[in-house]
Amino acid sequence: MSKVTVIGAGNVGATCANAIAHLNCVSDIVLIDIKEGLSEGKAIDMMQTAKLYGFDTRIKGVTNDYAATADSDVVIITSGIPRKPGMTREELIGVNAGIVNSVVKNALQYSPNAVFMIIANPMDTMTYLTYKTSGLPKNKVIGMGGQLDSSRFTYYLSQALGAAPSDVEGIVIGGHGDTTMIPLISKATYKSQPVTKLLAKEAADKVVADTMVGGATITGLLGTSAWYGPGAAAATMVKSIILDQKKIFPCCVALEGEFGKSDICIGVPAVLGKNGVEKVVEIELTADEKAAFDKSAEAVSKTNKVLKDMNLVK
Ligand code: APR
């Protein structure tokens, strides 16, 4: 038996549960929210697609009933307020820190061995908060951000190349912020060909710039933050953990010396398996990428300092 809890049944949480069910890799999903009836209604709606899509995952919705989440293998935190147009992810810190702290505490009581995956924004800082306050080992706390940003990167690359997104490889490291993420254009490929050989510099620069504001572009159009991308990105990571696939994902993890950083949670490539983060993969960075990573880490640490100023983290 395998079980995943998704906390928050809003746009991202519900889509996350739906995407995981479609991968048919988990026996049970519990969707939990504070809004009476929301999780229950969405869970029933999704279950009524099981026959149509052919998945066997059971999805149950509950209101505030953490006992129902007991013995989860993965707990996903989507509870929190989303961005509005013009807002940065960092502006959500005050409200979301309180929510994340309380739901992690509740879920931990019933699933002390779970891997916790943080989606609520500002994601790097919420991951750091969870790592510092939960008592969980560093392999059990993962932030979903890099996988989503990388998927957006390959989307923009595919548009520029006129290629199928599945034929394009590219990863984004660093913070999950409009100015902190680092799409690694030097390492992106189109069926083994470096994209830098196929795209003019201006076109490549535009792909990088569009990727960095990929989330804000959608927020500007919808009036709230995206959900299909975040839900699908989290689901691919959950599958690797549940099935112990040990695939590499760019995601937010606690560093202790890797990439020359410590006391920070930030996006780097990591192997995800049954223990959560199995290994951080220290890919080689160019001098420019290294400088960008240092700058990104500085900005993420600055946002983390707000938690210290609020006395939420020592
Ligand atoms: N416990 C459980 N659920 C909660 C709690 C709580 N303490 N506080 C809020 N929620 C729920 C809300 O009731 C709501 O249903 O979290 C849900 C959030 O859903 P949305 O408002 O639709 O937000 P969403 O778009 O899903 O974004 C959630 O993910 O990508 C990030 O920036 C985004 O931080 C935001 C988070």
Side-chain angles (χ1 to χ4, degrees):
M1 189 195 139
S2 51
K3 185 168 172 179
V4 174
T5 286
V6 182
I7 305 182
N11 288 334
V12 175
T15 310
C16 223
N18 199 42
I20 297 166
H22 282 222
L23 295 181
N24 213 9
C25 61
V26 182
S27 38
D28 289 274
I29 298 173
V30 174
L31 188 59
I32 181 166
D33 202 286
I34 40 168
K35 271 191 214 149
E36 196 78 43
L38 183 72
S39 305
E40 290 85 341
K42 289 195 178 180
I44 294 169
D45 193 11
M46 282 184 245
M47 281 309 290
Q48 291 173 354
T49 70
K51 172 71 179 161
L52 305 171
Y53 287 116
F55 66 77
D56 301 302
T57 299
R58 293 174 289 263
I59 310 167
K60 184 181 174 174
V62 296
T63 305
N64 269 334
D65 174 15
Y66 279 87
T69 70
D71 301 322
S72 290
D73 300 289
V74 180
V75 174
I76 304 176
I77 316 291
T78 78
S79 48
I81 52 165
R83 284 205 274 182
K84 294 283 167 247
M87 271 176 107
T88 65
R89 294 181 179 90
E90 288 71 22
E91 286 175 78
L92 306 172
I93 190 166
V95 179
N96 285 355
I99 297 174
V100 168
N101 247 350
S102 82
V103 302
V104 167
K105 211 165 142 209
N106 290 336
L108 255 182
Q109 275 187 343
Y110 291 94
S111 301
N113 300 315
V115 173
F116 280 67
M117 187 183 293
I118 315 302
I119 301 186
N121 276 311
M123 186 278 302
D124 303 292
T125 296
M126 294 301 114
T127 306
Y128 181 74
L129 173 70
T130 303
Y131 174 51
K132 296 293 275 187
T133 58
S134 63
L136 285 161
K138 65 175 184 163
N139 57 303
K140 293 282 178 93
V141 184
I142 305 169
M144 190 293 295
Q147 172 72 343
L148 167 63
D149 297 331
S150 301
S151 186
R152 287 179 173 153
F153 184 33
T154 50
Y155 161 74
Y156 284 114
L157 281 169
S158 72
Q159 295 276 301
L161 291 162
S166 60
D167 277 350
V168 180
E169 293 287 340
I171 67 163
V172 176
I173 62 167
H176 177 56
D178 299 352
T179 56
T180 60
M181 72 179 75
I182 309 158
L184 295 178
I185 193 82
S186 75
K187 293 176 175 54
T189 57
Y190 174 38
K191 281 287 173 192
S192 86
Q193 307 170 85
V195 300
T196 47
K197 294 242 158 80
L198 304 171
L199 292 175
K201 177 150 188 337
E202 302 74 59
D205 287 348
K206 184 169 182 327
V207 165
V208 169
D210 287 347
T211 302
M212 294 175 77
V213 294
T217 300
I218 298 172
T219 303
L221 292 167
L222 297 179
T224 187
S225 48
W227 54 89
Y228 294 113
T236 55
M237 294 163 73
V238 165
K239 185 176 176 188
S240 189
I241 295 167
I242 294 290
L243 300 183
D244 195 27
Q245 289 177 322
K246 297 195 167 68
K247 293 174 86 158
I248 296 178
F249 295 85
C251 55
C252 177
V253 303
L255 298 184
E256 279 173 8
E258 300 93 338
F259 291 93
K261 303 285 170 238
S262 46
D263 193 32
I264 192 167
C265 294
I266 192 165
V268 292
V271 175
L272 300 187
K274 67 175 184 324
N275 299 307
V277 181
E278 305 280 346
K279 191 181 166 211
V280 169
V281 183
E282 287 199 72
I283 53 170
E284 214 173 295
L285 300 177
T286 64
D288 284 353
E289 290 162 354
K290 175 86 186 51
F293 191 76
D294 288 345
K295 214 172 135 209
S296 177
E298 222 172 89
V300 170
S301 294
K302 205 170 150 205
T303 311
N304 291 347
K305 196 176 165 292
V306 178
L307 297 175
K308 295 180 181 170
D309 297 342
M310 290 166 80
N311 275 328
L312 289 169
V313 162
K314 282 196 197 94

